[in-house]
Amino acid sequence: MSASAQTATGSDEEDEENQDIVNQIAARFGSLQLAPDGKLRYLGTPANFHLFGTDRSVAATTNARSQRLEGKRLLHRLELDQAVDPSLENHLIKIYFAWHNASHAVIDESTFWLARQQQTEIAEVAGIYSEVLVNAMCAIGASYESRYHPDLATFPRTLADFFTERTKTLLELELDSPSVSTIQALLLLSSHESGNQRIARSWLYGGMAMRLCFDIGLHIDTTPYVDHGVMSATESQARQTAFWASYVMNYRMSFSLGRPFTLDGSEITVKKPTPDTFSYTELWHPYHRTIASNPQSSGGLALLDVISAQRINLCETVEPIARALYGNTRITLKTLQEHSERSVNAMLTWKKNLPPSLDVRADYAEDVVPQVLVLHLEYHYLQILVHRPWTSRRHQPVPAQGPGYRHARKMCIDSACDMAKILGVFERQFGLTRLDVETAQVLPSAALILTFATVSQTQVEQRQMSSTANEKESSNRMIISHLNTLFRALDELGGRHSCAKDHLESLLVIQQKWNDMHKQQSSRSKKRRDANAPPRTDLLRAAKRSKVTEGSSLN
């Protein structure tokens, strides 16, 4: 045996003896590990925590106590320490669950109420309950109420702003040792800030929530940890709900703002919401109290898991084309159009394959729940976003390819009209003031499309069935009526969310501006036609010659 072969053999034997050690060094992927604060966090192998083998410490419970004490001191310093009646908190939380969480599931309601009843440190450590989360929920719930409360001196802060400021103050402490409830509070803060037209803060809080998802490891499947008793099934479920809520919000904000996506789906192993028999037995009921009851809204199936699963699938369907349309500057128009056509077909298939429980029928039965209507509003909104870039004739591929700009305009107008119809149903069943802040963000796009349609009269070009003058006039009136519905909704929501008020004012300015532009362009076109037309005397002579020719032919 040669010397080199002997050396290689010796190395192999040595490596075999230390295989476990080598495997630890060579490991690529991370796992949940106990961090210095005593909480489970996702740490990759470069952090070396998988080698330390630390035991669970008492740091987490100690931190929870110190945060409560420091939180009280901070609230007192900022004059935010007014005593809040628990009944008021419960009222605002019930509003939150009925009108916001039902459409955008962030928190499991039964788990939260149980933890609130017990208010144990174990629930706080597990991230199921915290004062930060309670205040964030109250802030969202307060946005459905009057601006001030007679028993709580918050002026000049509104009731919603009072709870928002408390949330931000306590959040600053909780970020030292974040948990699932921290992520949930950040998502609610993002919604609140977006509703108040503080876009930068909304984007920041949503991004922080997604970043913390990877810090805590919400993106990985925790079934093995439950099986080995490392965490409870309740905590695992809360983690799953919070992750997919962050996932959807990340895409929703990126879609609406046209900003880059940052998720790598290959790293996500946590299971998606799986509808089970419970999803079809749990009921949703409208919560009224101070809001006038609507006799038509008696409630129906909650369908939270069913809707969450379908919303995630819709985001995954739209994400590739949204990324290409609004972020890829190098893709060719030919490739982009092909990509768009495939994505649109996938979206149509998604809608066609919705389970019967999520179908929005033409008669709109009285048992429809708001979250189903919200899901369909989001679908039509995404159809508008996908088709908008193709509404210009100059943005089409050369040579011509695909259905063309007229089809894109028609799809946008039809989707906007469908949104207005669904909004009308929501108004009749529940009242426009009960629309959640996330849904309020999608209405301006539909209103913009219908403003374009009424100004440019392009709906006459798109609706080929409207061949007679009466049909065209009826189509025009219908679109104006739908635009009025959207404007009214934004006006109603403007009292609660400044973003709706700002959007409405901007849309009215755009409408007037486009009207003026359209009139100027029409006037210039008429002048060009008149300039190119033959002189009137030539027209009269041609008409006379035509009559003479007709008379001769008859003879």
Side-chain angles (χ1 to χ4, degrees):
M1 189 179 293
S2 64
S4 59
Q6 291 178 5
T7 303
T9 303
S11 299
D12 291 341
E13 292 175 354
E14 180 183 350
D15 186 66
E16 186 68 28
E17 293 174 358
N18 300 299
Q19 189 62 48
D20 292 341
I21 298 176
V22 173
N23 287 343
Q24 291 182 23
I25 293 293
R28 292 172 54 204
F29 303 110
S31 60
L32 293 181
Q33 301 289 337
L34 282 171
D37 62 357
K39 293 183 179 179
L40 287 173
R41 306 202 176 283
Y42 181 83
L43 293 161
T45 54
N48 298 324
F49 274 85
H50 67 296
L51 303 173
F52 298 159
T54 54
D55 296 325
R56 182 179 290 271
S57 67
V58 296
T61 54
T62 304
N63 287 339
R65 296 190 196 98
S66 62
Q67 285 175 8
R68 282 196 297 272
L69 294 174
E70 183 62 25
K72 290 180 181 179
R73 286 194 288 268
L74 280 177
L75 292 177
H76 177 72
R77 190 183 309 163
L78 298 174
E79 299 181 353
L80 293 168
D81 60 337
Q82 291 94 318
V84 181
D85 191 331
S87 63
L88 173 60
E89 281 189 350
N90 289 339
H91 168 59
L92 297 177
I93 291 170
K94 288 177 182 178
I95 293 177
Y96 162 77
F97 275 120
W99 299 109
H100 188 97
N101 198 77
S103 296
H104 310 283
V106 177
I107 304 162
D108 181 78
E109 184 173 3
S110 59
T111 300
F112 173 83
W113 284 118
L114 180 61
R116 181 169 171 80
Q117 182 180 2
Q118 297 173 346
Q119 291 196 25
T120 61
E121 291 180 351
I122 296 176
E124 292 186 37
V125 173
I128 298 173
Y129 183 88
S130 73
E131 286 302 313
V132 174
L133 181 58
V134 169
N135 280 278
M137 296 165 72
C138 288
I140 296 293
S143 67
Y144 292 86
E145 291 281 74
S146 57
R147 289 170 58 82
Y148 305 101
H149 192 275
D151 300 328
L152 194 60
T154 62
F155 190 85
R157 297 183 181 97
T158 65
L159 187 62
D161 287 340
F162 168 75
F163 284 107
T164 301
E165 292 302 318
R166 284 167 62 101
T167 304
K168 292 177 181 178
T169 301
L170 298 175
L171 176 67
E172 188 60 31
L173 295 174
E174 196 164 294
L175 287 175
D176 290 333
S177 181
S179 60
V180 176
S181 61
T182 312
I183 294 172
Q184 294 167 328
L186 281 167
L187 294 176
L188 301 187
L189 270 180
S190 178
S191 295
H192 180 271
E193 296 300 278
S194 177
N196 286 277
Q197 203 66 338
R198 292 189 282 266
I199 298 174
R201 274 191 174 272
S202 175
W203 176 261
L204 175 64
Y205 288 139
M208 289 171 67
M210 197 74 249
R211 200 69 179 252
L212 286 181
C213 281
F214 290 97
D215 171 70
I216 301 174
L218 302 191
H219 63 295
I220 65 172
D221 182 13
T222 53
T223 302
Y225 297 88
V226 175
D227 294 341
H228 288 82
V230 177
M231 72 173 59
S232 66
T234 300
E235 183 179 353
S236 177
Q237 179 62 41
R239 292 167 63 91
Q240 181 195 53
T241 302
F243 174 79
W244 289 113
S246 301
Y247 177 94
V248 169
M249 173 166 280
N250 178 76
Y251 280 131
R252 183 187 294 120
M253 294 180 70
S254 297
F255 290 153
S256 61
L257 297 175
R259 289 179 176 174
F261 303 85
T262 57
L263 289 180
D264 181 1
S266 66
E267 298 180 3
I268 299 173
T269 60
V270 61
K271 295 177 181 178
K272 296 178 182 178
T274 305
D276 52 22
T277 54
F278 182 71
S279 299
Y280 297 95
T281 58
E282 184 185 14
L283 296 178
W284 173 90
H285 295 288
Y287 181 70
H288 304 302
R289 188 166 163 173
T290 59
I291 304 177
S293 163
N294 188 329
Q296 295 185 17
S297 55
S298 58
L301 292 176
L303 301 171
L304 295 186
D305 288 342
V306 185
I307 290 174
S308 294
Q310 291 297 333
R311 181 177 280 116
I312 293 166
N313 291 338
L314 182 59
C315 285
E316 291 177 338
T317 300
V318 177
E319 184 268 336
I321 187 57
R323 186 195 297 269
L325 283 170
Y326 295 100
N328 191 336
T329 59
R330 299 181 180 180
I331 190 171
T332 65
L333 287 177
K334 179 180 184 298
T335 303
L336 188 59
Q337 194 283 325
E338 294 171 350
H339 196 9
S340 295
E341 194 164 353
R342 286 194 300 270
S343 296
V344 169
N345 290 334
M347 293 175 69
L348 295 172
T349 301
W350 174 90
K351 188 173 186 297
K352 180 181 178 181
N353 293 336
L354 283 175
S357 58
L358 299 185
D359 185 30
V360 178
R361 300 181 299 277
D363 57 350
Y364 295 107
E366 294 182 3
D367 61 350
V368 66
V369 291
Q371 49 267 36
V372 172
L373 297 177
V374 167
L375 181 66
H376 283 266
L377 283 171
E378 291 177 345
Y379 165 78
H380 291 295
Y381 163 70
L382 292 174
Q383 282 284 15
I384 291 174
L385 289 190
V386 171
H387 284 90
R388 264 180 64 170
W390 298 109
T391 54
S392 172
R393 181 175 57 183
R394 295 181 179 179
H395 292 172
Q396 301 297 313
V398 178
Q401 174 184 318
Y405 71 95
R406 293 181 186 276
H407 171 79
R409 292 181 187 179
K410 182 179 186 303
M411 288 293 292
C412 286
I413 293 171
D414 288 348
S415 293
C417 289
D418 287 337
M419 289 179 68
K421 292 176 185 176
I422 295 171
L423 200 59
V425 177
F426 197 106
E427 180 180 22
R428 291 192 297 272
Q429 298 284 25
F430 312 107
L432 292 173
T433 56
R434 299 178 194 181
L435 276 171
D436 64 270
V437 62
E438 295 292 342
T439 305
Q441 306 296 317
V442 308
L443 302 183
S445 290
L448 186 70
I449 291 296
L450 295 188
T451 298
F452 165 74
T454 55
V455 168
S456 65
Q457 301 296 311
T458 54
Q459 70 274 15
V460 177
E461 302 174 10
Q462 312 306 325
R463 300 178 180 274
Q464 298 177 359
M465 298 300 293
S466 303
S467 54
T468 67
N470 289 336
E471 288 175 337
K472 292 177 181 177
E473 182 62 27
S474 175
S475 175
N476 293 345
R477 286 198 301 268
M478 179 188 67
I479 289 181
I480 292 173
S481 175
H482 289 328
L483 179 59
N484 180 64
T485 299
L486 292 163
F487 278 168
R488 283 191 299 102
L490 290 171
D491 187 53
E492 289 277 1
L493 293 169
R496 289 169 39 208
H497 307 298
S498 61
C499 68
K501 180 181 178 181
D502 292 346
H503 280 308
L504 178 58
E505 292 175 352
S506 298
L507 283 165
L508 293 175
V509 171
I510 290 173
Q511 186 181 46
Q512 184 60 52
K513 180 180 178 181
W514 283 0
N515 269 319
D516 294 340
M517 290 173 60
H518 182 66
K519 290 177 182 177
Q520 293 174 3
Q521 292 170 356
S522 299
S523 177
R524 286 196 294 267
S525 298
K526 185 177 183 300
K527 290 179 180 179
R528 284 196 300 268
R529 288 195 298 271
D530 292 344
N532 295 330
R536 185 170 180 81
T537 54
D538 293 344
L539 292 174
L540 292 174
R541 291 171 185 169
K544 290 180 180 179
R545 284 197 299 270
S546 176
K547 289 182 179 180
V548 171
T549 303
E550 290 177 3
S552 300
S553 62
L554 290 174
N555 293 332

